[in-house]
Amino acid sequence: MEKVNLREKLSSFSTHWDPKIVGELNGQHVKLVKFHGEFVWHRHETEDELFLVLHGCFDMQLRDRVVPVAEGEFIIVPRGVEHRPVAAEEVHIMLFEPAGTLNTGNVRNERTYEATRA
Amino acid sequence: MEKVNLREKLSSFSTHWDPKIVGELNGQHVKLVKFHGEFVWHRHETEDELFLVLHGCFDMQLRDRVVPVAEGEFIIVPRGVEHRPVAAEEVHIMLFEPAGTLNTGNVRNERTYEATRA
């Protein structure tokens, strides 16, 4: 049981849209990820997903509106809801979601990454 | 689906050791709590518990050692492991744990609070 320093883990990678696992509990993963630019529209059939902004800000695009999420804020996207994160500048995010959640959800393309440990 | 601002939620209560639910996903709760002073030794039989420090720092006392946890760090205490948080000064924490987790785990005393929504 070791503590995890977010800044240290964030400095260990520089890729975008490529979540890194930094913790596991109760069948859930804690991940860190950096966003920059536009992601792909997708949904997760069986997983709710929490996005907590650590540095920066981004827009969570939903089919009917856009929710801007800033540092110190989080949003939970329920299972089944289509979403697309868009970040005009680099943003650092902590994710909470079930172990095994795929970053692109129901879509598989060149943006799909299996999460690895930071 | 609304975003949650941590600072706003933290300013809505001033009690200590009294976790407030600010989010729910995948059967898990996201809670905010303020620690100050010494808590009670306890364990959770079936729940792993994540403590992320938002402001301040605290010591996670374990039976064989102490882990100091500072702002921007988290620690996951696995189920079954006795622990006692101690905070010399007020510290603000985000908790991530299964819905229904009791703050005092296997102990019920005057420090026991059923979590309510912030």
Side-chain angles (χ1 to χ4, degrees):
Chain A
M1 185 191 345
E2 296 306 325
K3 67 179 176 183
V4 170
N5 183 292
L6 298 179
R7 191 172 298 272
E8 206 173 286
K9 290 289 187 188
L10 282 166
S11 71
S12 75
F13 67 97
S14 56
T15 48
H16 296 132
W17 310 110
D18 176 18
K20 304 296 185 187
I21 300 165
V22 294
E24 181 161 7
L25 72 165
N26 306 301
Q28 313 294 307
H29 274 159
V30 184
K31 298 173 184 170
L32 294 178
V33 64
K34 297 179 180 182
F35 292 165
H36 193 188
E38 297 184 346
F39 201 51
V40 292
W41 281 103
H42 67 286
R43 64 178 182 272
H44 304 275
E45 298 299 354
T46 58
E47 300 104 350
D48 310 321
E49 202 172 25
L50 181 148
F51 301 76
L52 169 64
V53 176
L54 301 173
H55 307 290
C57 59
F58 78 105
D59 284 340
M60 184 59 83
Q61 295 187 351
L62 306 168
R63 285 301 188 185
D64 61 345
R65 62 195 172 109
V66 175
V67 182
V69 191
E71 193 165 316
E73 297 181 334
F74 71 78
I75 187 169
I76 295 173
V77 178
R79 60 195 69 187
V81 174
E82 280 197 299
H83 57 286
R84 179 171 79 146
V86 174
E89 302 194 357
E90 186 176 86
V91 57
H92 298 174
I93 307 275
M94 175 182 268
L95 300 172
F96 286 128
E97 56 192 18
T101 302
L102 203 61
N103 66 333
T104 51
N106 64 319
V107 175
R108 274 194 179 260
N109 61 17
E110 73 286 356
R111 311 296 286 273
T112 303
Y113 289 101
E114 302 285 347
T116 55
R117 291 189 184 271
Chain B
M1 185 189 347
E2 294 307 322
K3 68 180 177 182
V4 170
N5 183 292
L6 298 179
R7 191 174 299 272
E8 207 174 284
K9 290 289 186 188
L10 283 165
S11 71
S12 74
F13 67 98
S14 56
T15 48
H16 296 131
W17 310 111
D18 177 16
K20 305 296 185 189
I21 300 165
V22 294
E24 180 160 9
L25 72 165
N26 306 302
Q28 315 292 307
H29 274 160
V30 183
K31 297 173 183 169
L32 294 177
V33 64
K34 297 178 180 183
F35 293 165
H36 193 191
E38 297 184 346
F39 201 51
V40 293
W41 282 103
H42 67 284
R43 63 177 183 276
H44 304 276
E45 298 299 354
T46 57
E47 297 105 351
D48 311 320
E49 203 172 24
L50 181 148
F51 300 76
L52 169 65
V53 177
L54 301 174
H55 306 291
C57 58
F58 77 105
D59 283 340
M60 183 59 83
Q61 295 187 351
L62 306 168
R63 286 300 188 186
D64 62 343
R65 63 196 170 107
V66 175
V67 183
V69 190
E71 192 166 317
E73 296 181 336
F74 72 78
I75 187 169
I76 295 172
V77 178
R79 59 196 70 186
V81 174
E82 279 197 300
H83 57 286
R84 180 170 80 145
V86 174
E89 303 193 357
E90 186 176 86
V91 58
H92 299 174
I93 306 275
M94 174 183 270
L95 298 172
F96 189 54
E97 57 193 17
T101 302
L102 203 61
N103 66 333
T104 52
N106 64 319
V107 174
R108 274 196 179 259
N109 62 17
E110 75 285 356
R111 312 295 287 275
T112 304
Y113 288 102
E114 304 283 348
T116 54
R117 290 188 184 271

